[in-house]
Amino acid sequence: PALGCFSDFTEMMRALGYPRLISMENFHTPNFMLVSEVLLWLVKRYEPQTDIPPDVETEQDRVFFIKAVAQFMATKAHIKLNTKKLYQADGYAVKELLKVTSVLYGAMNTKGVERADMSEEDSSKFKFDLGSKIADLKAARQLASEITSKGASLYDLLGKEVELREARTESIARPLEINEAEKMMKIAIDCVLEQVQKTKDMLNNVALDEANLEAKIEKRKLELERSQKRLQTLQSVRPAFMDEYEKIEEQLQKQYSSYLEKFRNLTYMEQLLDDHRQTEQEMFEEAANMLRLMQNRLKEEEQHLLKSGNNDDSDVEIQEDEGSDSEVEDRQIMKQRTTTETLLQG
């Protein structure tokens, strides 16, 4: 095989993303393991869901593997591979592998070019189209709901198709009678004419209702104009009692101002009276407290005098009779009264 084919193959495999490096020396001698690995990788690259067994240990397994790969490429990718050259697994197998790699490489290049050319335009169009299609989102949702409902009804109708098919075949197989068909057509025509007459009657009723509504509207307009005119006349006319009312209102204003002044003075005088009463109450309480203190002090002095009098009597020998004792007590009582009178006067 030519050296150019091998270089193209290695370059395409590298571009497709094959994980291993392939050199020309790998195919100087038959290397079925590498060829099977490349074939399986290309098949998975073309369709990841394939179920080709990767066992190539025995001769039967290898033959089955090559046949399965060739059949898959022929049916899915329409690529005809030479199974003998693939089984040789040498330089001639590279040409067969190049058929598959060239298809995948061309698809990758065309896809990349399309993406590069349309990237900018698609981005700009997407921005503008998105803004223009937001208004259609509600309609799209409504159509989706209608599609689901119609699909459900269609499913129900298709479920009844078995019964309807028999009735349809019976009606088709039955010979057509002209009299009966004419009779049915007359009935259908009468129904249509009746519906047309009903529609005309409804239109006439609508016209009458419209005329009645217009007459009512005109009547209401005239009533509104009369009411507005009456309101204007009532606003322009001045009642006879308005002069007297205004005079009384002025007097009421004066009376109210005098009432406010008197009420203010009254409250002020009441406040002064309360203050005066409070001061008198405080003075009275203070005098009562002073009197209470004086009484307590007099009691203490009386007790002190009594104690001192008893001590004097115990020191002096008792030589007088009972008359002298009574005179001493009377003198003491008189002294106490004079002292209390002087304290009270003070």
Side-chain angles (χ1 to χ4, degrees):
L3 184 62
C5 295
F6 185 78
S7 61
D8 293 339
F9 175 71
T10 55
E11 200 174 310
M12 289 179 185
M13 291 296 289
R14 192 182 298 112
L16 289 172
Y18 188 67
R20 289 178 57 183
L21 293 174
I22 300 172
S23 64
M24 187 175 179
E25 295 176 356
N26 296 126
F27 295 98
H28 283 315
T29 58
N31 191 354
F32 192 83
M33 298 299 293
L34 180 59
V35 172
S36 63
E37 185 180 351
V38 172
L39 282 172
L40 187 61
W41 186 82
L42 290 173
V43 169
K44 294 288 185 182
R45 181 83 175 177
Y46 192 84
E47 188 174 350
Q49 304 297 329
T50 54
D51 295 330
I52 296 175
D55 297 331
V56 290
E57 294 179 357
T58 62
E59 184 178 353
Q60 293 179 355
D61 293 336
R62 292 179 180 182
V63 172
F64 181 76
F65 177 76
I66 294 296
K67 285 183 178 180
V69 172
Q71 186 178 1
F72 174 79
M73 287 297 173
T75 55
K76 298 291 183 181
H78 302 287
I79 299 172
K80 187 177 181 181
L81 299 176
N82 193 343
T83 55
K84 291 181 179 180
K85 291 182 178 179
L86 288 173
Y87 191 78
Q88 289 177 5
D90 53 2
Y92 291 100
V94 176
K95 289 185 178 181
E96 302 301 322
L97 294 173
L98 189 61
K99 295 178 182 178
V100 183
T101 54
S102 61
V103 173
L104 293 173
Y105 184 74
M108 185 181 70
N109 287 334
T110 54
K111 191 174 180 181
V113 170
E114 288 178 358
R115 285 182 180 177
D117 292 338
M118 298 297 291
S119 60
E120 296 180 358
E121 295 179 0
D122 288 342
S123 62
S124 61
K125 286 182 180 179
F126 178 74
K127 292 178 182 178
F128 291 107
D129 292 342
L130 183 63
S132 62
K133 289 181 180 178
I134 284 173
D136 300 335
L137 183 60
K138 188 175 181 180
R141 288 179 179 175
Q142 186 177 0
L143 289 173
S145 61
E146 289 180 0
I147 287 168
T148 54
S149 61
K150 293 292 178 64
S153 61
L154 182 61
Y155 179 77
D156 295 335
L157 292 173
L158 289 174
K160 298 177 183 178
E161 176 63 20
V162 178
E163 299 176 358
L164 295 174
R165 188 185 301 164
E166 295 177 358
R168 187 169 60 251
T169 53
E170 289 179 0
S171 62
I172 291 171
R174 188 176 59 186
L176 183 63
E177 294 181 1
I178 296 173
N179 293 327
E180 186 177 357
E182 187 177 359
K183 184 178 178 181
M184 296 299 293
M185 290 296 292
K186 285 181 179 179
I187 292 169
I189 290 167
D190 293 335
C191 291
V192 172
L193 291 174
E194 187 177 356
Q195 290 180 359
V196 171
Q197 188 63 33
K198 286 181 180 180
T199 307
K200 287 181 179 179
D201 294 337
M202 289 173 67
L203 291 173
N204 293 327
N205 292 329
V206 168
L208 292 173
D209 293 337
E210 188 177 359
N212 292 327
L213 290 173
E214 288 179 355
K216 288 181 180 180
I217 290 167
E218 291 294 332
K219 186 177 179 181
R220 295 291 182 184
K221 285 182 178 178
L222 293 173
E223 290 179 358
L224 179 62
E225 289 178 358
R226 285 197 296 269
S227 300
Q228 288 178 353
K229 289 179 180 179
R230 187 178 178 184
L231 178 62
Q232 290 176 0
T233 53
L234 290 173
Q235 289 177 352
S236 61
V237 173
R238 183 180 176 82
F241 58 85
M242 281 300 293
D243 297 333
E244 186 179 359
Y245 174 76
E246 290 176 355
K247 291 179 181 179
I248 294 171
E249 191 174 10
E250 290 177 359
Q251 293 177 4
L252 178 63
Q253 189 68 27
K254 293 178 181 179
Q255 292 292 330
Y256 181 72
S257 60
S258 64
Y259 166 74
L260 286 177
E261 187 176 357
K262 290 178 180 179
F263 182 77
R264 225 174 10 250
N265 295 330
L266 179 62
T267 53
Y268 178 70
M269 296 299 290
E270 287 177 353
Q271 183 67 29
L272 290 176
L273 181 61
D274 292 336
D275 294 338
H276 183 67
R277 286 176 180 175
Q278 188 174 2
T279 53
E280 284 184 352
Q281 184 69 24
E282 289 176 356
M283 291 173 67
F284 179 74
E285 289 177 357
E286 188 175 357
N289 291 329
M290 290 293 293
L291 183 61
R292 195 179 298 112
L293 289 172
M294 294 296 291
Q295 288 175 357
N296 293 329
R297 191 179 297 172
L298 289 172
K299 285 180 182 180
E300 290 176 358
E301 289 179 356
E302 287 178 359
Q303 291 176 1
H304 182 68
L305 290 171
L306 289 172
K307 286 180 182 180
S308 63
N310 291 327
N311 291 327
D312 293 335
D313 293 336
S314 63
D315 293 335
V316 179
E317 293 181 356
I318 303 172
Q319 295 179 358
E320 297 178 355
D321 56 0
E322 294 177 357
S324 63
D325 293 334
S326 61
E327 288 178 358
V328 172
E329 289 177 358
D330 292 335
R331 288 175 184 176
Q332 289 177 356
I333 290 167
M334 289 297 291
K335 287 180 181 180
Q336 289 177 359
R337 286 179 180 176
T338 52
T339 54
T340 53
E341 288 176 357
T342 53
L343 288 171
L344 287 172
Q345 287 175 3

